[in-house]
Amino acid sequence: MKPKVLIVDDEEDFLEALAERLESRGIAVSTANDGIKALQLIEKEAFHAVFLDYAMPGINGLETLKIMLERKPDLLVFLLTGRASLHTGVEAIKLGAKDVIEKPAELAELIEIINKSENEYLLSLEKKLKESVKDILITKGW
């Protein structure tokens, strides 16, 4: 299974370029150019990681992050920002972001993050599966 990520950014050129570069390295990429579309996508698809721009029209990255994690608490979200500040970083981490990445991000760094996120995602699924099996065994009395 190849890793699957969602990139959310209102800068179309950046979004397309990053998606192409990741796809050329065997990573499945979905894109959204605003927070609303991103929220719709996370309801329909499972992602190993989400790269979310901070500064977007409409609902910004922090608000989108908050809603995403309310709906999908196990989602691994990384905030992308061209305007990194300590305050933004602290706020994002408090809301549940895994990390804050300054734009333009190095491709190698993103791929490393994606690979780690895929492993973390798979471990989370395995844990949930074990818990489900345990619950079934307890409720069925086997």
Side-chain angles (χ1 to χ4, degrees):
M1 167 167 72
K2 65 165 131 174
K4 185 169 187 179
V5 299
L6 171 61
I7 306 169
V8 186
D9 200 301
D10 62 314
E11 296 176 36
E12 290 291 330
D13 292 340
F14 173 80
L15 192 63
E16 289 175 21
L18 183 55
E20 283 178 21
R21 293 177 75 196
L22 291 173
E23 286 172 341
S24 73
R25 284 155 179 86
I27 297 167
V29 179
S30 293
T31 61
N33 58 5
D34 63 43
I36 300 296
K37 185 175 178 189
L39 293 170
Q40 292 168 345
L41 284 171
I42 67 159
E43 293 299 325
K44 296 177 189 172
E45 301 178 50
F47 296 99
H48 295 108
V50 176
F51 295 97
L52 177 63
D53 186 30
Y54 169 71
M56 295 185 295
I59 60 173
N60 70 22
L62 290 180
E63 187 62 29
T64 304
L65 169 69
K66 183 179 175 184
I67 297 168
M68 279 183 170
L69 293 178
E70 285 171 358
R71 294 182 184 178
K72 304 273 183 169
D74 295 335
L75 198 58
L76 302 175
V77 183
F78 299 85
L79 194 71
L80 289 171
T81 181
R83 302 178 193 121
S85 74
L86 182 59
H87 175 74
T88 301
V90 168
E91 190 65 27
I93 298 300
K94 281 183 181 178
L95 289 173
K98 294 297 282 181
D99 203 352
V100 177
I101 302 163
E102 194 167 351
K103 287 167 48 176
E106 293 291 325
L107 190 61
E109 177 186 9
L110 294 179
I111 290 171
E112 183 179 331
I113 289 168
I114 292 166
N115 288 334
K116 286 180 182 177
S117 296
E118 181 184 22
N119 290 337
E120 193 170 330
Y121 175 82
L122 293 173
L123 288 172
S124 174
L125 283 180
E126 182 180 355
K127 181 180 176 186
K128 286 179 185 176
L129 180 60
K130 285 180 181 179
E131 289 171 1
S132 294
V133 169
K134 183 179 176 182
D135 288 345
I136 290 169
L137 292 175
I138 289 171
T139 57
K140 297 291 183 185
W142 294 337

